[in-house]
Amino acid sequence: MHTQRPAAIRFIFITLLIDVMGLGIIIPVMPKLIESLMGGSLSEAARYAGWLTFSYAIMQFICAPIIGNLSDQYGRRPILLLSLLGFGIDYIFLALAPSLAWLFVGRMIAGFTGASITTASAYIADISSPEKRAQNFGLIGAAFGLGFILGPLLGGLLAGWGVRMPFFASAALCLLNALYGYFILPESLSKENRRKFSWKRANPLGSFFQLTKYPSIGVLIASLILIYIAVHAVQSNWNFYTMYKFGWSEQLIGISLAFVGLLVGGVQGGLIRIILPKIGHEKGVWIGLLFYSIGFMGFAWATESWMMFAFLLPYALGGIAGPSIQGIISNQVPPTEQGALQGGLTSLMSATAIIGPLLMAQLFAYFTSPSAPFQFPGAPMLLGGILTLISAGLAMRGFKRKG
C-alpha cells in the first residue's frame, strides 16, 4: 500500500511531535518534583533522576522491537492508538504521583508506550511510494527537532502553575491525539502483508550484534559510542546543573533548552548539508570534536549564566562529528548490508541512552554531595570533554586503518 495519505502522514507527524514534546515538557520541572517527593537536596534528586532515566531507557530498548513485531501481526493502527492512550494515562499517573516509587513505575510505563516510534516509522514505510519514502522519513527528524524546541519551552511556562502542571498538559496532548487518530487514522498494513509475532525477531540485541560482522570499522564505532555517551552530560544533566550552579528557574531552563533545540536543528538540518560536501567527512570529524570539546569545557568552567548560552554555539557545532563518522562507517560497508548496519547503530544509540544518563547523573550527585573531596558540579561536563578527546584519538586511529 503505497498510496499517499496526507491526513495519515500529518497524524504520524503530530504523534511523533507529541511524543517528543511530552518528554521535553517535563524536563524543566523534574528536578523540583523529585526534590519535593524525597524531601532531599538537588544533589540527591539528581541521583534518582539518573535511575529514572535508566528505567525509561532500558524499557524502551527492550520494548521497541516487541512493539514493532506486534504491529506486524495486528496492524499499525491499534498499536499506535494504544501507545498514545497508554502515554496519556501514564502522564496522569506521574502528575498524581505521591512518591518516588510511583515515578519509577510511571517512567517504565512511558518507556514501553514511548517505543511507538518503531510503529510510526513502519506506518510511514507502508503508505509511502518509493520516491516519497525518504522525504516522509525526514518528518521523523523534523518532529524530534520541533518537539525538543516546543516541549521544554512549554514546560517552563506551565511550571508557573506548579511542577505537576506540565504532566497534565502532556496527558491532554496524548489523549486528544489518540481521540483524533481513532476517527481519522486508517490501517496501513494489509492483512496479506502481516506475519505472526516472533520472539526471535523481537530480540533487542539482535541488530546490536550485527555490528560484530564489521571488524574493520570497530575503532570508528567505538569513537561514535563515546560521542553518544558524552552528549548525555548536557542532555541528561542540564536542568540539574544550571539550577544548582546558577539558580535558574524552570522558565529559564525551558527557554535555554528551546535555544539548544534551535541551534542543534540548524546544524543538523541545514549546516551539515552545506559544509560536509565542502570539507569532507574526516575534516568534519575533527572540526566537530574540537567544537564539542570547547563546548563541554566551557560549560564545566562557566562562572556566569550568559556563558552557558555562549558555549551552546560551539556545542551545537560539535554535532557535525557524529554524522561525519556515520558517513565514513557507511561508506565502508556494502550496499546490501546497509540496513543491518543502521539497525546496529540505532541499537548502539539506545544502549548509550541507558548508560550515559545514569553515569552523568551519579557523577553530578557525587561532586555536589557533602562527601565529595571538593565541590565541582561541572564534573559531567568535564567528562564529556574528555570523552570527545578520546573519541578524536580513536577516530585518528580508525582513519589510519582505513587508509
Side-chain angles (χ1 to χ4, degrees), residues 54 62 105 162 174 208 240 299 325 345 352 361 391:
F54 173 85
I62 294 168
V105 173
C174 289
F208 183 85
F240 285 94
F299 293 148
I325 294 179
L345 291 177
T352 57
S391 176

Side-chain angles (χ1 to χ4, degrees), residues 66-83:
I66 296 175
I67 293 288
N69 273 267
L70 285 172
S71 76
D72 283 341
Q73 178 171 347
Y74 297 107
R76 318 300 187 203
R77 172 185 157 88
I79 302 301
L80 276 171
L81 293 180
L82 284 172
S83 291

Side-chain angles (χ1 to χ4, degrees), residues 1-5 9 122-137:
M1 176 181 172
H2 296 307
T3 305
Q4 281 290 330
R5 295 187 176 181
I9 289 288
Y123 193 105
I124 290 174
D126 291 340
I127 67 173
S128 302
S129 59
E131 63 271 15
K132 288 284 188 180
R133 192 166 290 159
Q135 176 183 326
N136 287 339
F137 272 126

Side-chain angles (χ1 to χ4, degrees), residues 2-177:
H2 296 307
T3 305
Q4 281 290 330
R5 295 187 176 181
I9 289 288
R10 284 195 296 271
F11 175 81
I12 294 300
F13 175 79
I14 292 169
T15 296
L16 293 171
L17 178 63
I18 286 175
D19 278 1
V20 178
M21 279 183 64
L23 294 173
I25 282 176
I26 66 175
I27 291 174
V29 298
M30 190 59 87
K32 293 295 184 183
L33 177 61
I34 299 172
E35 198 176 10
S36 67
L37 288 175
M38 64 177 294
S41 66
L42 198 62
S43 176
E44 293 171 316
R47 195 182 303 278
Y48 284 101
W51 286 109
L52 282 167
T53 307
F54 173 85
S55 63
Y56 172 85
I58 199 165
M59 281 297 291
Q60 192 164 57
F61 179 71
I62 294 168
C63 294
I66 296 175
I67 293 288
N69 273 267
L70 285 172
S71 76
D72 283 341
Q73 178 171 347
Y74 297 107
R76 318 300 187 203
R77 172 185 157 88
I79 302 301
L80 276 171
L81 293 180
L82 284 172
S83 291
L84 278 171
L85 183 62
F87 235 155
I89 294 171
D90 173 63
Y91 280 124
I92 295 174
F93 187 88
L94 291 171
L96 300 173
S99 68
L100 280 173
W102 276 51
L103 285 187
F104 275 99
V105 173
R107 287 287 78 194
M108 292 178 74
I109 295 172
F112 177 77
T113 56
S116 58
I117 184 173
T118 307
T119 309
S121 300
Y123 193 105
I124 290 174
D126 291 340
I127 67 173
S128 302
S129 59
E131 63 271 15
K132 288 284 188 180
R133 192 166 290 159
Q135 176 183 326
N136 287 339
F137 272 126
L139 290 173
I140 297 176
F144 269 76
L146 187 59
F148 275 117
I149 294 171
L150 297 177
L153 188 61
L154 182 59
L157 293 173
L158 290 173
W161 284 275
V163 295
R164 295 175 187 265
M165 183 57 70
F167 293 91
F168 285 114
S170 295
L173 286 173
C174 289
L175 294 175
L176 285 172
N177 197 34

Side-chain angles (χ1 to χ4, degrees), residues 186-207:
E187 179 53 63
S188 65
L189 187 65
S190 59
K191 290 188 177 180
E192 59 267 24
N193 288 331
R194 299 184 189 185
R195 62 172 177 81
K196 290 287 186 181
F197 180 86
S198 167
W199 281 110
K200 184 178 180 181
R201 290 175 181 266
N203 175 13
L205 298 176
S207 58

Side-chain angles (χ1 to χ4, degrees), residues 275-295:
I275 198 169
L276 283 186
K278 294 181 179 179
I279 65 175
H281 287 111
E282 289 193 15
K283 284 186 179 177
V285 173
W286 298 126
I287 292 172
L289 290 175
L290 173 63
F291 277 126
Y292 257 150
S293 298
I294 293 171

